Amino acid sequence: MKFLTVVIFLLSAAQIQAQKLSVTAFGGMANYSGDLQEKRFTTSQAGYAFGAGVLYELTDKIALRSNVTIAKIKATDALGTSNKDRNLSFSSPLLDVHVGAEYNFLNIYEKGFTPYVFAGISYFHFNPSAIDSSGNKVFLQPLGTEGQGFYDNRTKYKLNQFAIPFGGGVKLALGDNIRLGLEVGLRKTNTDYLDDVSKTYADQTLLAQNNGQKAVELSFRQNEGKTNVVPYPAAGTQRGKAAYKDWYYFTGVTMSFRLNSIFEGKSKLGCPVNVH
């Protein structure tokens, strides 16, 4: 009898928690803002972004959320609005792990929809690469294209860092337990090297001696495919804008499935019902 009582209690507790817990999915685009893409927000040169996570409702308007997003960012000077002659390009995978809080402006159980905002903290991994003149993919961070490791006390940037995520969207209740939404999520980073471009050129001879000729080749690409050769920039010549840190952001569609339906069975048709 005691065992049965414990089982009933655990099942009841699980049902209560499931009423508040949802699994989420995301699909859309990834973009970045930096030295090769100076617009603060654009869908140009977008990469893919896919994610999944969980959301736990503390109240009808406040929730905790956690997501893992896999994405790709990329850009090229050739499609930019400035610095076309610089001729740099990059692409980078992104792995973003985000935890935070979400605030819904309306009670979705009563209204059937709500705009919302969120904020939190992200831990992310990136690794920029470029295609060299021979068509080979080369990862840029190990090269030290701006003289990292020997020039002007510069050290190689870390590929795993923290970011400040925030954003918002709107979501619609498709039933008791399913939500469909549109979301824009921005990430403010503390690095200027998502694109491997930040400060100034290092001395060409010293760069070749210390980091190799490939670092020289991918640091300055203005002469590729041209007959009129331009001299390599003098040491200290501006290559990027170090005063402005890089951003990345995701834009896309969200879906959530509330686990309450596992215990209640088939979702009822019609307007959402408040089960809280």
Side-chain angles (χ1 to χ4, degrees):
M1 187 67 180
K2 290 182 179 181
F3 175 76
L4 180 60
T5 302
V6 170
V7 171
I8 294 174
F9 173 79
L10 292 176
L11 289 175
S12 299
Q15 180 176 0
I16 293 172
Q17 297 303 313
Q19 289 176 350
K20 300 182 178 185
L21 185 66
S22 298
V23 293
T24 62
F26 172 86
M29 302 179 297
N31 287 80
Y32 108 108
S33 176
D35 288 296
L36 274 68
Q37 175 61 273
E38 295 181 343
K39 293 182 179 180
R40 283 298 179 187
F41 184 85
T42 180
T43 57
S44 175
Q45 305 190 63
Y48 62 82
F50 298 101
V54 294
L55 183 143
Y56 184 79
E57 299 176 3
L58 297 176
T59 71
D60 288 341
K61 290 187 175 182
I62 301 175
L64 300 178
R65 52 184 277 165
S66 177
N67 299 287
V68 177
T69 304
I70 298 173
K72 179 181 181 180
I73 55 174
K74 56 184 179 177
T76 174
D77 278 334
L79 298 178
T81 57
S82 61
N83 295 315
K84 291 181 183 291
D85 290 338
R86 188 174 54 184
N87 198 34
L88 296 176
S89 63
F90 89 102
S91 68
S92 176
L94 276 177
L95 175 62
D96 177 276
V97 180
H98 152 69
V99 292
E102 179 179 296
Y103 178 77
N104 298 287
F105 290 96
L106 302 175
N107 186 332
I108 196 170
Y109 296 103
E110 297 176 353
K111 302 296 184 180
F113 75 98
T114 181
Y116 66 93
V117 293
F118 70 88
I121 188 169
S122 284
Y123 185 70
F124 70 97
H125 169 80
F126 71 108
N127 195 6
S129 64
I131 304 300
D132 68 13
S133 57
S134 299
N136 300 312
K137 179 179 180 179
V138 180
F139 289 100
L140 298 170
Q141 187 260 10
L143 294 181
T145 56
E146 292 187 353
Q148 292 95 333
F150 75 93
Y151 179 73
D152 197 26
N153 295 318
R154 296 176 185 176
T155 59
K156 291 184 179 179
Y157 50 88
K158 296 179 180 179
L159 299 179
N160 299 293
Q161 301 197 31
F162 287 96
I164 300 174
F166 61 94
V170 60
K171 51 187 170 182
L172 174 70
L174 299 184
D176 293 344
N177 302 298
I178 301 175
R179 310 285 185 258
L180 173 68
L182 294 174
E183 180 174 294
V184 177
L186 296 91
R187 304 294 193 270
K188 183 183 185 303
T189 78
N190 195 40
T191 181
D192 192 37
Y193 282 108
L194 290 182
D195 49 20
D196 193 63
V197 180
S198 178
K199 298 181 179 179
T200 59
Y201 290 94
D203 179 86
Q204 178 182 6
T205 301
L206 293 177
L207 184 60
Q209 291 175 350
N210 288 273
N211 292 357
Q213 188 58 38
K214 183 63 69 174
V216 175
E217 176 187 334
L218 295 180
S219 174
F220 180 70
R221 310 190 68 176
Q222 188 169 341
N223 292 325
E224 290 184 11
K226 297 181 180 179
T227 56
N228 297 324
V229 177
V230 178
Y232 191 93
T237 301
Q238 183 178 359
R239 186 169 184 258
K241 297 179 180 178
Y244 302 97
K245 303 300 184 183
D246 293 341
W247 293 59
Y248 64 94
Y249 46 95
F250 307 131
T251 308
V253 177
T254 64
M255 288 285 294
S256 66
F257 179 77
R258 197 155 58 104
L259 298 181
N260 177 59
S261 60
I262 295 176
F263 292 89
E264 289 189 343
K266 186 177 180 181
S267 177
K268 301 175 183 178
L269 297 177
C271 298
V273 178
N274 190 345
V275 295
H276 289 254

